[in-house]
Amino acid sequence: MKIGFMQFSPLLGDALGTMKAIKRLLSGCAGVDLLVLPELCNSGYNFTSYEQAWDTSEAIEGGPFIAFLESKCSSHNMHIVSGLNERDGDVLYNSAVLIGPNGYIGTYRKLHLFLNERDFFQPGNAGLPVFDIGSCTLGMLVCFDWIFPEVWRILALKGAEIICHPSNLVLPGFAQRAIPIHALFNRVYVVTANRIGTEEELTFTGVSIIADPRGDILAQASRAKEEVVVREIHIALARDKMMTPRNHVLNDRRPQEYALLTENAIVKR
């Protein structure tokens, strides 16, 4: 199958302008099966007020950005994972949505909020779902989730073969160094779609990545240019969890020794 990312600059408060940019960039995506877009793609990121965050959000059912993605997935016979400023009742979530040729499939809500995000969003309450799309099983994480190894491992344990990672990264290169390691540790493909551009004091770092289950970087974008990059992959590589003929990265775990991971208290030394 062919997987890829779209690295560009969603427009703060201008969903129509963002949709026009996506439509233009999709011309470089012929034959792609799965495409990942950046975090909060429908709204932009660096809100100046809660009112702005609210006004740029949308519900999944009936949302114009969702409808736009559905139309593109249908016409291109593809799947898209995109960040979404999601409105659910009177609450906002920093979400990722999975859309396919037949429409909306599912949502992940970001668990680990970064900096000022907690002024606008509630932490995710939908767990860590995975989705079988026929050609593969995929999971989703969003941006700052990258620093928590537990969530990557849980998705792998649930059968994810590709982890889609919409992002608006601003820390200098940390996630980009970690992504191939997460891919190697869990023997999965990872697609990190980061954005570019500047919003007020924030400059986004680009360098979107596709990494394979060996930890090799299959594609890496520039720091500041719009890019659509697609790579052909062999999903069987993500189904092979053997590191040696006698070592399986999931079956060789010793969960009875990991109880501290589920406790909130930190052991002080």
Side-chain angles (χ1 to χ4, degrees), residues 210-233:
I210 302 173
D212 77 6
R214 298 187 181 100
D216 293 329
I217 296 175
L218 302 183
Q220 182 169 292
S222 65
R223 294 183 61 183
K225 294 181 180 179
E226 281 189 348
E227 296 187 49
V228 177
V229 177
V230 176
R231 291 289 184 269
E232 185 170 353
I233 65 164

Side-chain angles (χ1 to χ4, degrees), residues 39-239:
E39 180 182 12
L40 294 177
C41 205
N42 64 318
S43 63
Y45 183 83
N46 195 19
F47 308 116
T48 58
S49 67
Y50 185 84
E51 289 71 26
Q52 185 182 37
W54 179 262
D55 290 343
T56 57
S57 67
E58 67 176 69
I60 288 175
E61 186 173 354
F65 189 73
I66 295 291
F68 166 76
L69 295 181
E70 289 177 331
S71 71
K72 296 307 173 187
C73 287
S74 176
S75 62
H76 290 263
N77 191 33
M78 66 191 298
H79 289 80
I80 288 178
V81 169
S82 175
L84 184 79
N85 180 359
E86 181 197 356
R87 181 188 304 179
D88 183 18
D90 60 355
V91 175
L92 299 182
Y93 294 99
N94 185 342
S95 298
V97 292
L98 171 62
I99 312 292
N102 297 317
Y104 166 79
I105 297 172
T107 300
Y108 163 73
R109 290 170 171 169
K110 186 175 184 178
L111 290 173
H112 305 100
L113 299 178
F114 181 72
L115 277 179
N116 297 338
E117 290 174 18
R118 63 193 68 211
D119 296 334
F120 311 111
F121 300 108
Q122 293 298 308
N125 63 354
L128 290 157
V130 299
F131 303 92
D132 184 348
I133 62 171
S135 55
C136 70
T137 300
L138 65 83
M140 297 180 280
L141 296 174
V142 175
C143 204
F144 193 53
D145 287 327
W146 71 265
I147 205 169
F148 299 93
E150 297 88 348
V151 293
W152 298 86
R153 177 51 54 92
I154 289 170
L155 288 176
L157 288 168
K158 288 185 172 184
E161 295 152 345
I162 301 175
I163 297 178
C164 303
H165 183 220
S167 296
N168 283 346
L169 297 162
V170 295
L171 298 176
F174 296 137
Q176 288 90 340
R177 295 201 296 271
I179 293 307
I181 303 304
H182 287 306
L184 170 63
F185 283 176
N186 295 289
R187 301 282 290 183
V188 297
Y189 286 95
V190 179
V191 184
T192 295
N194 195 22
R195 64 162 290 175
I196 57 173
T198 299
E199 290 178 358
E200 297 297 332
E201 76 281 5
L202 295 181
T203 297
F204 303 96
T205 59
V207 194
S208 299
I209 286 178
I210 302 173
D212 77 6
R214 298 187 181 100
D216 293 329
I217 296 175
L218 302 183
Q220 182 169 292
S222 65
R223 294 183 61 183
K225 294 181 180 179
E226 281 189 348
E227 296 187 49
V228 177
V229 177
V230 176
R231 291 289 184 269
E232 185 170 353
I233 65 164
H234 301 284
I235 201 66
L237 186 60
R239 295 169 181 163

